[in-house]
Amino acid sequence: MEGRRQQQPGAAGEERRPEEGGRDAAGGGALSRPLGPTPSQSRFQVDLVAEGAGRPAEEPRKASGEGGAAGKGGEEAKGRFRVNFVDPSAGDESPGEPAGGSLEGGNVSFQNGGDTVLSEGSLHSGGHHHYYYDTHTNTYYLRTFGHNTMDAVPRIDHYRHTAADLGEKLLRPSLAELHDELDKEPFEDGYANGEEGTPAGEAAATYTPDSKGVVKFGWIKGVLVRCMLNIWGVMLFIRLSWIVGQAGIGLSVLVIGMATVVTTITGLSTSAIATNGFVRGGGAYYLISRSLGPEFGGAIGLIFAFANAVAVAMYVVGFAETVVELLKENGTLMIDEMNDIRIIGAITVVILLGISVAGMEWEAKAQIVLLVILILAIGDFVIGTFIPLDSKKPKGFFGYKAEIFMENFGPDFRHEETFFSVFAIFFPAATGILAGANISGDLADPQSAIPKGTLLAILITTLVYVGIAVSVGSCVVRDATGNVNNTIVTELTNCTTAACKLNYDFSSCQTGCQYGLMNNFQVMSMVSGFAPLITAGIFSATLSSALASLVSAPKIFQALCKDNIYPGFQMFAKGYGKNNEPLRGYLLTFLIALGFILIAELNVIAPIISNFFLASYALINFSVFHASLAKSPGWRPAFKYYNMWISLVGAILCCIVMFVINWWAALLTYVIVLGLYIYVTYKKPDVNWGSSTQALTYLNALQHSIRLSGVEDHVKNFRPQCLIMTGAPNARPALLHLVHAFTKNVGLMICGHVHMGPRRQAMKELSTDLAKYQRWLIKNKMKAFYAPVHAEDLRDGGQYLMQAAGLGRMRPNTLVVGFKKNWRQSDMRDVETYINLFHDAFDVQYGVVVIRLKEGLDISHLQGQEELLSSQEKSPCTKDVIVKVDYSKKAETDTSIAFAPSSSERTSTLHKEEDEDGKTPTQPLLKKDSKGRSSPLNLADQRLLDASTQFQKKQGKSNIDVWWLFDDGGLTLLIPYLLTTKKKWKDCKIRVFIGGKINRIDHDRRAMATLLSKFRIDFSDIMVLGDINTKPKKENIAAFEEMIEPFRLHEDDKEQEVADKMKEDEPWRITDNELELYKTKTYRQIRLNELLKEHSSTANIIVMSLPVARKGAVSSALYMAWLEALSKDLPPILLVRGNHQSVLTFYS
């Protein structure tokens, strides 16, 4: 970095050539977010926080004259970089001295407002970028293809996760940085689409682990050896000969083949998932959780870790039983058989724990030694088969004979054994294929190691199983006495058994022989050349499997705890040492294993363990099927030899095998997995792994939306699909809850939010608000979508939303707005805009619903508005880059504006959407904010807060009054009906009010009752109002005239030209002619308000027909005055007007 120049502020970019393109500051990709010039001409420097290589980030102390002010190292780096604002006057460094702490892997310095950039390449990039010294402007540029450009070339470092193990995460320049104008604000944007950014990951990014001394295994040591040792268990030496005796050679090979089919399909599926992206620690849990999501992953992770822990006990007891057999033969039992097993088991598991805790390197060495012993034992047996000794013949061993092969080829099931019971006994010997995958975090290259090692291990072990089954079946007869005197001296003519043909007569003990395949579990010892080696093989097989399980369980459990799916287990996530060893997990596994060893009754536990393993195999297979079915573009495994349907067959086979092995254990496993699945689903862990469940949900939604588009609308299927102009959803909860009450699980609900003001500011808010408010809706159990748009004013925004919101048939058909309560104090242009929303809605065939609460709807100035503002100022989005700004006093005035919208701007935006709350928006509210929390709410605000939650409570036995005065297609009636179908509203009764003539009241009531009964809508009462057209009271008329006085044009008192000019400039004004023309309609609204107060003042909610004003004929002020006069001083009222197309039908 030598030769970096200190320059005068502002000197850099003045004579730049056009092709240098705006802020062509740096290319390559060793670039974190480059920043544009700030209003102050301060220099500032961006330090990448390294995450996986090199040394910890040095603290850029030198950048500021004061030493400590410029930054606090990696302390708050939270992700990728710090921005340190440097006071230009803080002292000049000499030309050769770096202007800030350098960092291996990528340091970007910006000088003179960001036009000049100097960057080092990444550690991992080699040197494809050259520094180019531009004498014209005394500036360094990074070159891409030999040109000065900021655009980065493709490279791996741009695609890493924050907490990458292999190198640093570098950020390519954002689109905004390449595309926006030059006075861009200093920071923008954060993670790419849905990239993982867990708190743990971000913390990991602040320090760089030392890569020296970390043990990583290759595919042979890490996967092949482990899998072979785990698959070759005690079965090989003790049970295989018995299985051949029972099932015969043919069916034994079939048993082995069936088990292999299940394990091979699972191996292929494991390989496919393991090669679809970088695999971290956690084995089967990691593979399943990242494919199917945390629900299945969390369930399987827990039972798989537990199964491995109990498997330790199972293998150790198998070892202890063999030792106790030897002790018994030699007459040296310590206490009795059972307690000896416990003592030897406990000692063994302590030694194994010691080997595991000593570290993976020791454990791997122990595995190699055990494998050598195991291979020697197998070799010993094979050699033994070729050396038939006369001393062994009475025990049934004759060497390879065709007669014995023929006799043993068919089955001979005894003691109620069947093919499936024999299969159930053998199958656990084929498990263990995930031993390599379980330590995925300790493999150097899991993507190539897991497929190679696992599949090769399955092949080798299967061949050995088949080879031994055939050879033992060809050498040893099923029954033998062990008695030398059973030789046949005289030639028998009617020999049927192979032993008879070989001159031995074992017929004396057909039922109770001591020797032979059926009776002697130690056949392999007897056949082998050197018997003690087989015993050593048994020890090796049991101990290696125990050791593999003892290592697997804590690693899986640690990965599970790191993801914080079960918050109670968080303490087990901690790792120790360079290899991040889960010592706490080892201890827990040791205690579980010890507990089961002391029980020493493993015949009950064994089938459950097998079923736990099989459940995880089934889910691994299902993961591949599911991921392929979801057609996610992210599913592209490097391993190509898999098929989604074969994986599905594998998953089904695993489930069948579970029942074959033990039906009650299978049911128990299903219940446990389902229970854990439901628990994790209920808890909803805050993780996003891009699982195939998400992908399939998207695919289903897409397919159903397209299918729905091909279906014509039918009146029977009409649903109110509401576009609510809420602004920020949490600003008007009453509006949201009331609409949600009749759209939940019935129709679509979209919360429209129009952002106004400067475009660039609004665009930044759009993206951050989208994520924030959608999360807020989900958290508050609102089945709704949030749709923000930027527009010049509310009307344009409303038009954009009405035209473009929704998808196919899932489009809004009803506009819902809150009543503009403060319209008389507002700028009348805002009122004009508000009323025009209604006209626009009717133009596009929408229904309109206006909701009024006498207390008001907007609580944004009350409900934690300070936090809302401050959180928006501090971090534009929860997953965004957090930039630590250390600027000196000079820079402060200039840069603070760029970083955050002022509170006043923000509040006014919130209020402009739909002001309805008395005071003029900004100032009084901010004064309230500035007082802080301590100031108590005044009475009006307290009432407003109470009113905002009224629709969240159960409504009790009261009335919903429906004033269905005009037929709008039935929406006025459908909404109250839908309300009564919901739990909170089900005790409310519908009362219907209609207009009529005094002399026909009974007739009108009967006609309406008939209509409602045909519509199958329950009602408690129908009232016909004959006095709607009566003139209202004088004082109410006077009050109305007083209300509209400020908005009248009074053209009769003015000259014609003046009046016309005024009407043109202020089209909302009420003309005398208009007032006279609509006098009857005006009186009707005032009269209806009197009737409403008389009949419906106790109702829970009133639903009433909305009066319609003719476009261009009725001024906005008059229409607003009608709505005010109609709805003032009443319980919550919905003014509803459908689009005059039927939404109810009585036809089936």
Side-chain angles (χ1 to χ4, degrees), residues 312 404 1076:
V312 175
I404 299 176
E1076 188 57 43

Side-chain angles (χ1 to χ4, degrees), residues 317 338 342-343 346 593-601:
V317 168
M338 191 60 91
R342 287 175 178 147
I343 292 164
L594 192 61
F596 281 101
I597 287 166
L598 297 179
I599 295 169
E601 277 296 328

Side-chain angles (χ1 to χ4, degrees), residues 871-899:
S871 67
Q872 281 165 345
E873 286 173 16
K874 279 178 196 154
S875 63
C877 176
T878 48
K879 282 197 172 183
D880 229 319
V881 183
I882 290 173
V883 176
K884 182 168 165 43
V885 186
D886 292 310
Y887 35 67
S888 54
K889 291 184 178 58
K890 269 188 193 169
E892 190 167 37
T893 49
D894 297 317
T895 53
S896 57
I897 299 155
F899 272 82

Side-chain angles (χ1 to χ4, degrees), residues 635-700:
W635 171 251
R636 39 179 196 278
F639 182 84
K640 298 295 179 198
Y641 306 103
Y642 72 93
N643 177 283
M644 62 185 281
W645 299 109
I646 290 175
S647 292
L648 180 64
V649 169
I652 294 166
L653 282 176
C654 287
C655 295
I656 294 169
V657 171
M658 286 169 75
F659 277 100
V660 167
I661 289 179
N662 189 310
W663 65 268
W664 61 262
L667 285 177
L668 184 68
T669 307
Y670 284 137
V671 167
I672 292 171
V673 172
L674 193 64
L676 291 170
Y677 178 88
I678 291 166
Y679 170 80
V680 177
T681 308
Y682 173 73
K683 281 287 181 189
K684 285 195 180 67
D686 186 20
V687 291
N688 181 6
W689 294 322
S691 64
S692 60
T693 317
Q694 285 172 318
L696 198 62
T697 307
Y698 172 82
L699 196 67
N700 286 339

Side-chain angles (χ1 to χ4, degrees), residues 974-985:
L974 182 64
I975 287 174
Y977 165 72
L978 291 173
L979 277 176
T980 58
T981 61
K982 297 296 186 284
K983 199 161 63 176
K984 288 187 177 114
W985 295 83

